[in-house]
Amino acid sequence: MNALLLTGGRVVDPASRLDESADVLIVAGKIAAVGRDAAAQAPADAERLDVAGLVVCPGLIDLHVHLREPGQSAKETIATGTAAAARGGFTSIVCMPNTSPAIDNAGTVALIREKAQREGVVNVFVAGAITKNIAGEELAPIGSLKQAGVVAITDDGHCVQNNDLMRRALEYAGMFGLPVMDHCQDYSLVTDGVMHEGYWSMALGLRGWPAAGEEMIVARNILLAELTGTRVHCQHLSTAGSAQLLRDAKKRGIPISGEACPHHFVLTDAAVAGGEKFWPADGAGIFGFRPGASDLPAWPSYDTIFKMNPPLRSAKDREAILEAVADGTIEILCSDHAPHCDYEKEVEFDYAPFGITGLETELPLAFMQFYHAKRLGLTDLIAKYTVAPARLLGLAKGTLKPGADADVTVLDPDREWVYEREHSASKSVNSPFYGWPLRGKAVFTIVGGRVVWREQETAVTV
Ligand SMILES: [Zn+2]
């Protein structure tokens, strides 16, 4: 029987409000014991990992990842995307259905689950589409998607515009106990906007994507969640108005939730005007752990690496998202890992696809903005990557309780390192964070009792 003993770590399991120095014993892929006496129960041949000085927590879950298979394997594959997840400390990810063909039928779900079983490094859960071909016109077969094993439905990348169709989707999803996730974008307001509508879109002469284009759909989702009783989860929230709508609706007990991504709580739209403009305007404070940093990362204006959907917002919006995550309004953090090939991004700003990779940098960026910036304690921050997404999706994951699957992340909140292209496991390199000094890192990623990634394999520390 294969056994693994993690000794001397600080065990933080938000699901059981546990935060103490303890050993963790894993036997046959399950958590066998957690506590000071766990070592006494370990079989004689158990492998031992000394994790003193490190944090041991339930394997992190990222519920918003684009793996690009099937159909777009030049950008990413299940193999490379899950390798990037392991490197970032994630043991479970949820892949989005805007593939080619879209994940809108049981056959495609089966194909991905089978391929993930064979080639995936971490657990892959599948989100199905709300509408056929993500076209927003006709509902996908929600019952058979559920039967095929999807954990949620979403048209991510697109947004169902027809409110009646969205209502029907919620009614069906409710019958099958499936949460509905939504990429909130009102097409009539956003039209062909490419960056946040505000001072910088005006100064740079780029078409604006107004905050109201997101808030209109967040408000719609709140009304429909109230009407149908089905939970709606608003994806990658980016504006102050969205945060306030969510806060008020949750107070009224409406089944609504939201998530935030690092780019929206680290960067602002000033980044599109270039590094020179960003650092003095909105960049102060990000590297609080390195006083007087003189080697700030630099980039030119109109850099398409800063083009994402929803776009980077104003400093006021970023502050509101930080606050909403800190006060619990936004319960879940994720990456919206969206790989694209270099040649696709190396075009004029208007023509570049939206999105950045994120699996390998979300943990340090979240630690920097919440834990090191003293907005959240360790338990509350880790909850947003473990018990909260597990609860939303009904996954039997996100805890270290004895009997649970032995998905474990061992991390060093204080490790300082620089993210470099050559250390990325993703097939794509469209990240704005290369060359950034970061703080916080996964040291071991353990899936089903097996170490799938260990930090010593790449000498990336500084
Ligand atoms: Zn999206």
Side-chain angles (χ1 to χ4, degrees), residues 49-63:
L49 282 180
D50 176 8
V51 294
L54 303 174
V55 169
V56 179
C57 65
L60 307 182
I61 301 167
D62 185 337
L63 55 49

Side-chain angles (χ1 to χ4, degrees), residues 41 51 72 74 150 153 189 229 235 252 296 299 315 323 355 387 405 407 413 455:
Q41 303 175 40
V51 294
Q72 299 164 325
V150 303
I153 53 172
L189 280 169
Q235 298 177 284
R252 290 192 288 126
L296 292 171
W299 61 88
E323 202 181 302
V387 62
D405 293 341
D407 296 347
E455 200 267 345

Side-chain angles (χ1 to χ4, degrees), residues 159-182:
C159 177
V160 177
Q161 300 296 294
N162 182 313
N163 297 328
D164 180 57
L165 191 67
M166 189 64 171
R167 174 195 175 165
R168 303 299 164 204
L170 293 182
E171 286 171 348
Y172 276 106
M175 281 160 52
F176 296 104
L178 273 178
V180 177
M181 310 201 286
D182 197 24

Side-chain angles (χ1 to χ4, degrees), residues 17-274:
R17 304 305 293 179
L18 184 73
D19 180 355
E20 63 180 37
S21 172
D23 296 341
V24 175
L25 175 64
I26 294 167
V27 178
K30 300 281 181 191
I31 303 291
V34 177
R36 288 171 198 279
D37 56 346
Q41 303 175 40
D45 61 346
E47 185 190 342
R48 283 165 184 261
L49 282 180
D50 176 8
V51 294
L54 303 174
V55 169
V56 179
C57 65
L60 307 182
I61 301 167
D62 185 337
L63 55 49
H64 194 147
V65 173
H66 296 272
L67 286 178
R68 304 301 192 203
E69 270 200 281
Q72 299 164 325
S73 52
K75 298 174 194 262
E76 194 78 286
T77 63
I78 289 170
T80 58
T82 54
R87 215 169 257 245
F90 289 81
T91 59
S92 292
I93 58 179
V94 179
C95 65
M96 294 296 110
N98 60 335
T99 48
S100 176
I103 308 177
D104 62 0
N105 63 82
T108 311
V109 177
L111 171 86
I112 292 162
R113 293 186 71 190
E114 196 254 325
K115 204 154 196 254
Q117 198 69 37
R118 246 183 313 127
E119 298 166 15
V121 184
V122 305
N123 305 304
V124 175
F125 294 96
V126 181
I130 298 173
T131 64
K132 283 187 184 160
N133 202 27
I134 309 198
E137 285 166 6
E138 200 184 335
L139 289 184
I142 294 170
S144 75
L145 284 169
K146 163 81 182 183
Q147 229 167 21
V150 303
V151 296
I153 53 172
T154 173
D155 270 3
D156 184 48
H158 294 83
C159 177
V160 177
Q161 300 296 294
N162 182 313
N163 297 328
D164 180 57
L165 191 67
M166 189 64 171
R167 174 195 175 165
R168 303 299 164 204
L170 293 182
E171 286 171 348
Y172 276 106
M175 281 160 52
F176 296 104
L178 273 178
V180 177
M181 310 201 286
D182 197 24
H183 166 123
C184 303
Q185 178 177 352
D186 183 303
Y187 293 173
S188 64
L189 280 169
V190 173
T191 63
D192 51 3
V194 294
M195 76 171 289
H196 175 60
E197 181 181 298
Y199 171 81
W200 285 113
S201 66
M202 183 74 91
L204 296 169
L206 292 172
R207 285 188 298 270
W209 192 139
E214 173 176 303
E215 293 151 4
M216 189 68 74
I217 299 293
V218 172
R220 181 272 306 260
N221 289 343
I222 289 167
L223 294 171
L224 292 182
E226 187 171 23
L227 175 67
T228 62
T230 302
R231 172 162 299 274
V232 185
H233 175 73
C234 298
Q235 298 177 284
H236 43 45
L237 293 177
S238 67
T239 80
S242 294
Q244 193 54 44
L245 284 165
L246 195 65
R247 186 177 288 118
D248 294 344
K250 287 179 81 168
K251 266 190 204 132
R252 290 192 288 126
I254 292 168
I256 189 102
S257 58
E259 67 187 34
C261 305
H263 38 282
H264 292 129
F265 60 70
V266 173
L267 300 168
T268 66
D269 57 347
V272 185

